[in-house]
Amino acid sequence: CRAESRRDESCTRWLRGPQPSLPTTALATLLAAGELQLPNGDDPYFSDNLAHIPDINVTGASFYTLTWERQMPVEQLSAECREQQTDRVWLRLEGVNYRAARASLGGLPLPTPPPGMFIRHRYEVSAGGLFTLTIAPP
């Protein structure tokens, strides 16, 4: 997972920490990677932790813009991704939240889902490769 930030010379930084479990949010990913330190544990809703989360109007949208990357070997996709009685393989996104700013597979751009809350979208996959999805706040 990579976070984009104007504060960094390269405009991207790799987040350290455990691989985020999906589904997740940008905030949960930043907390798990140690990018945000809250005074009362990692639960943003505990005590006054919400008051310590940087406001997007101060940090800018790039602070909460994340790119997920995953190698997608088409031949190893599970049987549930295949349509019944065909050889077509689908990559399903089941809840993109806010806005998918960029999507690509194997370096080729994919159409991005429409903006909104918990948007479902699917892509027909004919070849594997590195799948990237950049999620940006509204």
Side-chain angles (χ1 to χ4, degrees):
C1 185
R2 191 170 56 175
E4 297 186 5
S5 173
R6 296 189 201 287
R7 298 175 294 160
D8 189 356
E9 286 295 317
S10 67
C11 291
T12 60
R13 66 186 189 278
W14 286 99
L15 299 179
R16 304 292 178 226
Q19 179 72 17
S21 62
L22 298 174
T24 191
T25 64
L27 178 60
T29 301
L30 292 169
L31 287 167
E35 290 287 309
L36 295 174
Q37 302 296 321
L38 300 178
N40 298 299
D42 284 343
D43 183 354
Y45 301 106
F46 182 75
S47 187
D48 67 342
N49 280 350
L50 278 176
H52 298 278
I53 296 173
D55 190 285
I56 195 168
N57 292 317
V58 174
T59 65
S62 63
F63 184 80
Y64 292 102
T65 298
L66 299 177
T67 299
W68 278 267
E69 296 182 342
R70 181 169 187 160
Q71 209 47 250
M72 301 292 291
V74 74
E75 61 278 354
Q76 292 180 5
L77 291 174
S78 67
E80 71 183 43
C81 295
R82 296 190 179 278
E83 278 193 345
Q84 293 178 350
Q85 302 174 349
T86 70
D87 287 333
R88 293 167 52 175
V89 177
W90 296 91
L91 171 62
R92 293 189 312 249
L93 305 178
E94 296 184 356
V96 173
N97 209 358
Y98 298 120
R99 183 171 59 96
R102 290 184 300 274
S104 67
L105 180 63
L108 300 174
L110 297 171
T112 56
M117 300 278 296
F118 308 110
I119 298 297
R120 293 177 180 212
H121 197 73
R122 70 182 190 163
Y123 299 104
E124 185 173 0
V125 179
S126 58
L130 182 66
F131 175 71
T132 63
L133 180 68
T134 300
I135 303 296

